[in-house]
Short mmCIF file of all heavy atoms in Angstrom, two decimals:
data_model
loop_
_atom_site.label_atom_id
_atom_site.label_comp_id
_atom_site.label_asym_id
_atom_site.label_seq_id
_atom_site.Cartn_x
_atom_site.Cartn_y
_atom_site.Cartn_z
N VAL V 1 -8.86 10.34 4.24
CA VAL V 1 -8.29 9.03 4.70
C VAL V 1 -8.26 8.10 3.50
O VAL V 1 -9.28 7.73 2.92
CB VAL V 1 -9.23 8.39 5.77
CG1 VAL V 1 -8.57 7.10 6.25
CG2 VAL V 1 -9.32 9.38 6.93
N PRO V 2 -7.06 7.85 2.99
CA PRO V 2 -6.90 7.07 1.72
C PRO V 2 -7.16 5.61 1.97
O PRO V 2 -7.05 5.01 3.03
CB PRO V 2 -5.41 7.31 1.30
CG PRO V 2 -4.69 7.39 2.69
CD PRO V 2 -5.71 8.16 3.58
N SER V 3 -7.57 4.98 0.78
CA SER V 3 -7.75 3.54 0.77
C SER V 3 -6.39 2.94 0.52
O SER V 3 -5.39 3.61 0.17
CB SER V 3 -8.67 3.07 -0.33
OG SER V 3 -8.13 3.40 -1.56
N VAL V 4 -6.25 1.67 0.71
CA VAL V 4 -4.99 0.90 0.37
C VAL V 4 -4.66 1.19 -1.17
O VAL V 4 -3.54 1.39 -1.52
CB VAL V 4 -5.10 -0.57 0.67
CG1 VAL V 4 -3.90 -1.34 0.16
CG2 VAL V 4 -5.31 -0.76 2.20
N SER V 5 -5.73 1.16 -1.97
CA SER V 5 -5.48 1.38 -3.44
C SER V 5 -4.98 2.82 -3.65
O SER V 5 -4.09 2.96 -4.48
CB SER V 5 -6.77 1.18 -4.18
OG SER V 5 -7.13 -0.18 -4.12
N ASP V 6 -5.44 3.79 -2.99
CA ASP V 6 -4.91 5.13 -3.07
C ASP V 6 -3.46 5.16 -2.67
O ASP V 6 -2.66 5.86 -3.41
CB ASP V 6 -5.66 6.08 -2.08
CG ASP V 6 -7.15 6.30 -2.53
OD1 ASP V 6 -7.52 6.21 -3.68
OD2 ASP V 6 -7.99 6.56 -1.58
N VAL V 7 -3.09 4.54 -1.59
CA VAL V 7 -1.69 4.54 -1.16
C VAL V 7 -0.84 3.84 -2.17
O VAL V 7 0.29 4.34 -2.53
CB VAL V 7 -1.61 3.77 0.23
CG1 VAL V 7 -0.17 3.52 0.56
CG2 VAL V 7 -2.28 4.58 1.31
N ALA V 8 -1.29 2.74 -2.72
CA ALA V 8 -0.52 2.07 -3.79
C ALA V 8 -0.34 2.92 -4.95
O ALA V 8 0.83 2.94 -5.53
CB ALA V 8 -1.21 0.70 -4.15
N ALA V 9 -1.31 3.68 -5.32
CA ALA V 9 -1.08 4.59 -6.45
C ALA V 9 -0.13 5.67 -6.20
O ALA V 9 0.68 5.99 -7.06
CB ALA V 9 -2.47 5.17 -6.86
N HIS V 10 -0.20 6.27 -5.06
CA HIS V 10 0.76 7.32 -4.66
C HIS V 10 2.18 6.80 -4.67
O HIS V 10 3.16 7.51 -5.07
CB HIS V 10 0.45 7.90 -3.26
CG HIS V 10 -0.69 8.85 -3.23
ND1 HIS V 10 -0.75 9.99 -3.95
CD2 HIS V 10 -1.86 8.74 -2.54
CE1 HIS V 10 -1.88 10.56 -3.65
NE2 HIS V 10 -2.57 9.84 -2.80
N LEU V 11 2.33 5.58 -4.16
CA LEU V 11 3.72 4.99 -4.08
C LEU V 11 4.18 4.23 -5.26
O LEU V 11 5.35 3.67 -5.30
CB LEU V 11 3.74 4.11 -2.80
CG LEU V 11 3.47 4.86 -1.52
CD1 LEU V 11 3.52 3.88 -0.31
CD2 LEU V 11 4.38 6.04 -1.25
N LEU V 12 3.32 4.13 -6.29
CA LEU V 12 3.65 3.40 -7.51
C LEU V 12 3.93 2.00 -7.17
O LEU V 12 4.91 1.33 -7.73
CB LEU V 12 4.84 4.04 -8.26
CG LEU V 12 4.60 5.50 -8.72
CD1 LEU V 12 5.91 6.04 -9.35
CD2 LEU V 12 3.35 5.65 -9.56
N LEU V 13 3.11 1.33 -6.30
CA LEU V 13 3.26 -0.02 -5.90
C LEU V 13 2.02 -0.83 -6.41
O LEU V 13 0.96 -0.25 -6.55
CB LEU V 13 3.32 -0.16 -4.35
CG LEU V 13 4.50 0.48 -3.72
CD1 LEU V 13 4.37 0.42 -2.16
CD2 LEU V 13 5.79 -0.18 -4.09
N ARG V 14 2.26 -2.11 -6.48
CA ARG V 14 1.12 -3.04 -6.61
C ARG V 14 0.34 -3.09 -5.35
O ARG V 14 0.96 -2.94 -4.25
CB ARG V 14 1.59 -4.35 -7.12
CG ARG V 14 2.17 -4.33 -8.52
CD ARG V 14 2.52 -5.68 -9.01
NE ARG V 14 3.15 -5.58 -10.32
CZ ARG V 14 3.40 -6.55 -11.08
NH1 ARG V 14 3.17 -7.79 -10.67
NH2 ARG V 14 3.93 -6.35 -12.26
N HIS V 15 -0.89 -3.47 -5.43
CA HIS V 15 -1.72 -3.49 -4.23
C HIS V 15 -1.10 -4.42 -3.16
O HIS V 15 -1.04 -3.98 -2.02
CB HIS V 15 -3.15 -3.98 -4.61
CG HIS V 15 -4.14 -3.91 -3.52
ND1 HIS V 15 -4.31 -4.83 -2.57
CD2 HIS V 15 -4.99 -2.86 -3.20
CE1 HIS V 15 -5.24 -4.48 -1.74
NE2 HIS V 15 -5.69 -3.29 -2.05
N HIS V 16 -0.68 -5.58 -3.49
CA HIS V 16 -0.15 -6.49 -2.50
C HIS V 16 1.13 -6.00 -1.85
O HIS V 16 1.45 -6.18 -0.64
CB HIS V 16 0.03 -7.88 -3.03
CG HIS V 16 1.17 -8.03 -4.00
ND1 HIS V 16 1.01 -7.77 -5.34
CD2 HIS V 16 2.37 -8.39 -3.83
CE1 HIS V 16 2.17 -7.93 -5.99
NE2 HIS V 16 3.04 -8.36 -5.05
N SER V 17 1.90 -5.23 -2.60
CA SER V 17 3.15 -4.59 -2.04
C SER V 17 2.77 -3.50 -1.05
O SER V 17 3.40 -3.37 0.00
CB SER V 17 4.04 -4.07 -3.14
OG SER V 17 4.51 -5.11 -3.95
N ALA V 18 1.76 -2.73 -1.39
CA ALA V 18 1.29 -1.71 -0.45
C ALA V 18 0.74 -2.34 0.81
O ALA V 18 0.96 -1.84 1.93
CB ALA V 18 0.19 -0.84 -1.14
N VAL V 19 0.05 -3.45 0.69
CA VAL V 19 -0.47 -4.15 1.88
C VAL V 19 0.62 -4.59 2.81
O VAL V 19 0.58 -4.47 3.98
CB VAL V 19 -1.38 -5.32 1.40
CG1 VAL V 19 -1.65 -6.29 2.63
CG2 VAL V 19 -2.72 -4.87 0.78
N GLU V 20 1.68 -5.10 2.18
CA GLU V 20 2.85 -5.58 2.98
C GLU V 20 3.52 -4.39 3.72
O GLU V 20 3.89 -4.56 4.87
CB GLU V 20 3.87 -6.28 2.15
CG GLU V 20 3.32 -7.60 1.56
CD GLU V 20 4.31 -8.25 0.56
OE1 GLU V 20 5.41 -7.69 0.24
OE2 GLU V 20 3.90 -9.30 0.01
N LEU V 21 3.67 -3.33 3.01
CA LEU V 21 4.25 -2.13 3.63
C LEU V 21 3.34 -1.61 4.74
O LEU V 21 3.82 -1.25 5.83
CB LEU V 21 4.40 -1.02 2.59
CG LEU V 21 4.95 0.33 3.03
CD1 LEU V 21 6.31 0.19 3.77
CD2 LEU V 21 5.10 1.29 1.89
N ILE V 22 2.09 -1.54 4.57
CA ILE V 22 1.13 -1.18 5.61
C ILE V 22 1.18 -2.11 6.76
O ILE V 22 1.15 -1.69 7.95
CB ILE V 22 -0.33 -1.02 5.03
CG1 ILE V 22 -0.35 0.14 4.05
CG2 ILE V 22 -1.36 -0.95 6.14
CD1 ILE V 22 -1.56 0.21 3.10
N ASP V 23 1.31 -3.45 6.47
CA ASP V 23 1.43 -4.40 7.58
C ASP V 23 2.60 -4.07 8.47
O ASP V 23 2.50 -4.11 9.70
CB ASP V 23 1.64 -5.78 7.08
CG ASP V 23 0.41 -6.48 6.42
OD1 ASP V 23 -0.76 -5.94 6.68
OD2 ASP V 23 0.50 -7.42 5.68
N ARG V 24 3.75 -3.79 7.84
CA ARG V 24 4.99 -3.53 8.67
C ARG V 24 4.83 -2.14 9.44
O ARG V 24 5.26 -2.07 10.54
CB ARG V 24 6.25 -3.46 7.72
CG ARG V 24 6.59 -4.80 7.14
CD ARG V 24 7.96 -4.77 6.42
NE ARG V 24 8.00 -3.91 5.28
CZ ARG V 24 7.55 -4.18 4.08
NH1 ARG V 24 7.13 -5.44 3.84
NH2 ARG V 24 7.67 -3.31 3.13
N ALA V 25 4.21 -1.23 8.78
CA ALA V 25 3.97 0.09 9.53
C ALA V 25 2.96 -0.04 10.57
O ALA V 25 3.11 0.63 11.64
CB ALA V 25 3.55 1.14 8.50
N GLU V 26 2.06 -0.93 10.44
CA GLU V 26 1.01 -1.18 11.48
C GLU V 26 1.70 -1.84 12.66
O GLU V 26 1.42 -1.42 13.85
CB GLU V 26 -0.15 -2.01 10.96
CG GLU V 26 -1.37 -2.07 11.85
CD GLU V 26 -2.49 -2.69 11.17
OE1 GLU V 26 -2.36 -3.67 10.38
OE2 GLU V 26 -3.62 -2.24 11.42
#
C-alpha cells in the first residue's frame, strides 16, 4: 500500500499534484 509520496514518485508529480489527483479519484 503506497504512500502519497510513493505515488508522486511513480507518476513524476510533485506531492501537492499527487494529492489533487488522489482527491479527484477519491
Side-chain angles (χ1 to χ4, degrees):
V1 182
S3 67
V4 174
S5 295
D6 294 330
V7 168
H10 284 300
L11 300 178
L12 303 176
L13 294 173
R14 293 185 182 189
H15 189 273
H16 71 276
S17 296
V19 168
E20 291 172 4
L21 177 58
I22 292 165
D23 286 345
R24 290 189 300 275
E26 193 171 37

